[in-house]
Amino acid sequence: MKSCTYLYAMLILCLCMSGCSKSPQPVTDGNPSWSPSMPAEDSSGAQVVAQDLRTPWAIDFKGEVLYISERPGSIVMVENGQASRQQVSLKKKLYQEGEAGFLGFALHPEDHGETKAFSYYTYEEDGEIFGRVVTLILGESVWEETALLLDRIPGAIFHNGGRLAIGPDGMLYVTTGDARQDKLSQDKSSLAGKILRMTLTGEVPDDNPIPGSYIYSYGHRNPQGLAWTQDGVLYSSEHGPSGSPGGHDELNRILPGTNYGWPLIIGDEEKDGMQPPLYHTGDVALAPSGMTADSSGRLLVATLLGQRIIRYTPDSGSDSGQSQVEVLLQNLGRIRDIRLHQGSFLFITNNTDGRGTPQAGDDKLYRMNL
């Protein structure tokens, strides 16, 4: 099925803001500050919840308590009007360069009197970079790595994927990038360029599409977002190629065992046994990252290069696709992650990641009503 999306009018709006490649200024040291009444930098209605974050990457929450992973290797907790930075004690030395570092973070869904989470981080060993999925337990303001679920995922300075999410089936899903070795995405013996699925204790589920394998889908370049609609449909966001042709960032409906084509097809190209994207951006790049789904099944997607939040409506019935995409927010810089929380959505900027232009107080956690 061909994509219905060369939305050129919308995509021109999604070009990178001027100066997006400048080096960031130093971020203020110390704990993040809590600023519940501080206005946003535009007229969107977004409110700053916490600021002075250090390259934040993922948001999760338990009730009113919010958690944000930071790529240099820490977690910010926001609770009762206070934000505190908690250290993370890892069993491997964190490799934090480029797009690598302390990335995905997802709280454990079960509560046994302790705060437990899953994380994805990169490390270097014998000149090679790898990704690793582990469990963490919060002690006295320090998260300790307690168990290894999956190791030696091919990694690199770029293209590490890194998103973690608990699915409605109670399984842990992990996105991995192609580690700058695009052929690995088609190699079903490699964990690179995949969406992986495992139990919460790290086993391969019996109903995975490839028996004995963590692989849930393959043929991905650099997927960084996962979201389920209320009817259990899984979607993913993915970065397209750099250079020429560039752009071709994707939103995909993820089906078990499906090959999404990288690096053999992009955009509307077709090849037997490969699934074209549900939506792609043509020659313009958005660099989509975290995403969530609202109660109507629409996808809200954070974009880095596009520097905005877009909302995509699957199956709108429009041949042109022009009614499928809306820009919900812009002018706050690079957006890394977004989550629905108690009738509004939370999102984090990523202006301190080396590719943005930080403003005072960056990076920030925002809340905005839908």
Side-chain angles (χ1 to χ4, degrees):
M1 179 179 64
K2 286 183 177 293
S3 166
C4 59
T5 56
Y6 272 109
L7 311 183
Y8 290 114
M10 179 266 171
L11 295 175
I12 293 300
L13 293 173
C14 298
L15 288 168
C16 177
M17 302 292 184
S18 61
C20 65
S21 61
K22 294 179 181 178
S23 299
Q25 299 298 313
V27 180
T28 304
D29 198 7
N31 284 342
S33 60
W34 172 264
S35 308
S37 61
M38 185 182 298
E41 297 154 24
D42 68 352
S43 59
S44 66
Q47 297 293 314
V48 178
V49 176
Q51 61 184 17
D52 296 325
L53 304 175
R54 298 169 177 165
T55 317
W57 211 90
I59 307 167
D60 206 353
F61 50 84
K62 184 177 182 180
E64 297 286 345
V65 184
L66 312 177
Y67 296 89
I68 307 157
S69 67
E70 296 181 306
R71 206 173 66 193
S74 51
I75 294 169
V76 171
M77 182 178 73
V78 181
E79 181 179 21
N80 296 328
Q82 299 294 324
S84 60
R85 178 169 285 116
Q86 301 166 331
Q87 298 307 307
V88 179
S89 177
L90 302 172
K91 293 184 178 179
K92 296 283 188 179
K93 182 180 179 181
L94 183 70
Y95 174 82
Q96 200 264 301
E97 297 289 342
E99 296 171 355
F102 189 73
L103 305 175
F105 177 85
L107 291 167
H108 198 291
E110 299 172 2
D111 185 357
H112 298 294
E114 58 188 6
T115 303
K116 189 174 180 179
F118 304 96
S119 71
Y120 182 113
Y121 72 92
T122 54
Y123 67 96
E124 187 174 17
E125 190 169 86
D126 298 326
E128 294 187 75
I129 301 168
F130 298 101
R132 176 178 172 98
V133 180
V134 303
T135 58
L136 304 172
I137 292 180
L138 177 60
E140 293 294 328
S141 297
V142 177
W143 292 82
E144 296 279 350
E145 179 181 334
T146 57
L148 173 65
L149 301 188
L150 187 60
D151 201 1
R152 300 183 75 82
I153 300 167
I157 189 171
F158 305 115
H159 303 186
N160 292 294
R163 187 66 57 190
L164 299 182
I166 308 294
D169 56 3
M171 298 294 173
L172 177 64
Y173 290 74
V174 183
T175 72
T176 69
D178 68 7
R180 304 181 78 185
Q181 302 176 66
D182 55 19
K183 292 181 180 179
L184 295 181
S185 296
Q186 293 293 321
D187 182 353
K188 287 184 279 188
S189 68
S190 172
L191 296 174
K194 311 295 191 296
I195 295 176
L196 310 177
R197 179 177 182 259
M198 67 180 71
T199 70
L200 300 188
T201 52
E203 287 86 21
V204 175
D206 292 338
D207 59 348
N208 266 13
I210 301 174
S213 172
Y214 289 104
I215 295 172
Y216 191 71
S217 63
Y218 63 106
H220 299 288
R221 181 178 183 266
N222 192 21
Q224 290 195 356
L226 292 171
W228 287 263
T229 54
Q230 290 187 346
D231 56 358
V233 178
L234 173 59
Y235 295 90
S236 177
S237 65
E238 183 167 340
H239 291 199
S242 302
S244 181
H248 294 88
D249 297 326
E250 298 179 359
L251 296 181
N252 287 296
R253 178 173 177 170
I254 301 299
L255 301 173
T258 300
N259 180 356
Y260 288 87
W262 176 256
L264 301 178
I265 61 171
I266 62 171
D268 290 329
E269 296 173 354
E270 295 183 345
K271 193 174 180 68
D272 288 347
M274 298 182 184
Q275 178 64 45
L278 179 69
Y279 163 83
H280 71 87
T281 63
D283 293 333
V284 178
L286 293 179
S289 188
M291 61 190 295
T292 191
D294 67 16
S295 60
S296 299
R298 299 172 298 184
L299 304 177
L300 284 68
V301 186
T303 71
L304 296 161
L305 193 61
Q307 300 194 29
R308 60 203 65 207
I309 295 170
I310 64 170
R311 182 166 61 197
Y312 174 75
T313 304
D315 302 326
S316 73
S318 167
D319 291 336
S320 68
Q322 292 183 8
S323 64
Q324 293 179 318
V325 176
E326 305 166 77
V327 177
L328 296 187
L329 178 141
Q330 56 188 331
N331 299 329
L332 295 178
R334 297 165 64 82
I335 312 293
R336 171 61 72 179
D337 196 17
I338 181 168
R339 293 291 304 273
L340 287 175
H341 180 251
Q342 299 181 353
S344 60
F345 63 87
L346 301 167
F347 62 94
I348 45 176
T349 61
N350 228 197
N351 296 317
T352 62
D353 69 352
R355 295 174 173 175
T357 305
Q359 305 298 317
D362 273 343
D363 274 312
K364 298 173 186 176
L365 169 67
Y366 289 89
R367 182 182 294 276
M368 183 176 177
N369 292 327
L370 292 172

